[in-house]
Amino acid sequence: MRKLSLIIFYIALLILTSNSQTPGNKIRGTVTDDDKKPIEFVSVTVQDIGISTSTNGEGNFEFAGIPPGNYLLIFKRSGYESKTLEASFDGRDTLINISLSESLIETPVIDVTSSFKASEVSKSTFSVTELNGRNLTKQRSQTLAETIENIPGLSSVSTGVGIGKPVIRGLSSQSVLIVHDGVKQESQMWGDEHGPEISLFDLDRIEILRGPASLVYGADGIGGVVNVITKPLEFSNKSKPVFYGEAVLGGFSVNNQGLGNLTLGIGTKNFGLKGHFGYRQAQDTKTPEGTFDVNTLSGIRTINGGKLFNSGSKEVQGGANFGLNQKFGNVNLSFDIFNRQVQIHEDPEIDPEASPNQKLNTSQFSFNGSFNITKKLKLEPVLSYQMQERKEFESKEDKEANITALDLKINTLDGSLKLNHEISEKISGTVGLSFTGQNNETLGEEKLIPNYDANTFGAYVLEKINTKRFTFSLGGRFDTKRLNIKETVFEADSAGNPLKVVRTQDINFNAVSGSFGIAYLANEYVNAYMNIGRGWRPPSEYELFADGIHEGTFRYDRGLRTQNPGYDPKPEESINIDIGVRVDYKNFNLQVSGYRNEIFNFVYPSATTDTLEGFPVYDIKQDKSSFIGYEYTVQFQPAKWLVLSANGDYVKTKNEATNNPLPFTPPMKNIFELKLQKQHMGKLLNPYIKFGTKLVSAQNDVDPLEAATKGYTLLNAGIGFDFALAKSVTSVDFTVDNIAGTKYVDHLSRYKSYALNPGRSFNLQVSVPFRF
């Protein structure tokens, strides 16, 4: 009670302090269309300090109390092109007027993931894509991986509907970093059925960087980064505080899922407070009725459609964010919880009544700030503490009795200190330090990984040079990781005598990573980029010491040191070459990229012909591997009310030691969409109707111990609109997935040998933001 009283006291003190500040000078302006008419409801964000507002009925916006500095302003509204504007604010009133043209083409305008400072995407030397605004609302699905899986270069390893893991250019698990508001998410991502615990509500955008990101984020991220960014706090420009929020309701018929989220916020001139609470609950997933033949290593198998027994899920999520915006900079404190319960459907031929399930509890405290030392020197500390407990149960009855098969507790302290600097108008960069400390406890009957402590330190530097036509980026980083394995009994006899033990041992990894990139602005419509990057990733504790049955993956895994206690593990090291072109000409947009990612000491599970305790044995191995592929996106607006789009990707993988493809290589996909949309229809804003087709090729280029899968075509449609309510824009979206009820199995589905993918689904989501 005393701690709670102190917290309330400090919050009240901050509010009183912020209200007593003398208002600083302002950045204000007007947003109009090409006919000089004001545009209402345009979102305006000062990216560098993470604050936002929206234009009023006269198209006006205003920010008060902004410290002197150079800022990147972002202007967005559905139905109009998005724009960025670099503004220099010297402490005096600054007037900014900008016009937006009507456009149905949606493209990323900024890049915050590939470097330590936001920049215009045309100056990015990396392959970057984002999902934002209304497009994010329309695409929001049941998991993070499913929400972004139709973006070129991305796929999803799925365990039914409730669990999905992002795949970037053929790489997944710990090769892909999930970052939430600057903090790396640590949630035992080594498991095939371990999905990231990230809320999909109250998001500003999801930004994806393809290719190694070790320079920016350290170890892991050898395949890319999924950067999830929460909506910024809002602050009042008047003497009275602003109250705002959003209510979201929705549902998916494919599993009778219902969802809801409520966000509430308050902002004064200098202080902001926001909280949110969300809930999802889903029943068993429905697949198309009838039979379907699938390939297995034993031959063709006929599987049955219908409901997937034991495939429901439930989520509770919430959090709070406190922010202080002053002349010295800004400070944010946040707390998040994400609790999930997931049922895992098993092969009905083995046990039709099997009911394994998972229970995950994740919480996180974080602090981040931005302090203006001078106009051209900024210090940015980030500190977070994450706690996650993962429990896996062999049956529903075991869960009710709290008898765990697997019980993992991991606590992670993560911090970084960045010093952003501008040497001149053309040269800027960042130097910094990072630290990660982890403690893992293995408490359940199954000991898939040992108890351990791990500490990682890193130091890095990144510099950028901007000229009229060129942007050059160059950076380097050094990391060291020390892994302290504690003695852990994996198996004991009935008398408690150890039969299988992992002994105390230390393992050290060191690595140098870096990147060099060039972006060339040929003219105002065309820019090209090239990047050469080196990434690294140490083998995970699971890949080193796994020795047992993992119920979630239905196999017996043996780690590198399980097979050979004297094995000297090497970190994965990659050399990635990425080349791309971006064209944005009037009513036409094109983005194309090609890459080659060569990974030395690549870690992967290799199927064997052995079985242990009735499960197939997989041995973890390290070999040189390569990933070669491309992505493309095309958008064309032939009429004011019509936009045509196409996107797709292809990746070819190769294990250089065996000349075989790597397991779980995504098949080629192409997605085509037609959308009709108007600016106004009576009181409705941006009413639209869309039709889409997703064509996924057969995957016959597989490892000899992996079965091929057939290609498939999915049809989908959607309709929606916006309307003004409570000084904000409410949105309604209704979509139909798999309209034809196509029977298929996806190559990246972990159910592909015994269960169909989901059938037809009617989905409705209503988002009601408000502000007063």
Side-chain angles (χ1 to χ4, degrees), residues 52 202 231-236 241-247 262-268 271-275 321 726 728 768-772:
S52 70
D202 194 37
K231 289 180 181 178
L233 293 169
E234 295 190 26
F235 296 87
S236 175
V242 58
F243 296 89
Y244 63 96
E246 183 179 36
L262 178 63
T263 300
L264 297 172
I266 179 175
T268 67
F271 178 78
L273 170 64
K274 182 173 65 173
N321 186 12
S728 296
V768 186
F770 48 87
R771 180 186 177 91
F772 52 89

Side-chain angles (χ1 to χ4, degrees), residues 688-700:
Y688 72 89
I689 183 169
K690 63 179 182 177
F691 302 93
T693 303
K694 181 177 181 179
L695 292 84
V696 179
S697 300
Q699 183 56 290
N700 297 312

Side-chain angles (χ1 to χ4, degrees), residues 379-390:
L379 189 66
E380 295 186 359
V382 177
L383 185 66
S384 73
Y385 186 69
Q386 300 172 56
M387 298 166 286
Q388 193 214 41
E389 182 169 16
R390 170 181 294 277

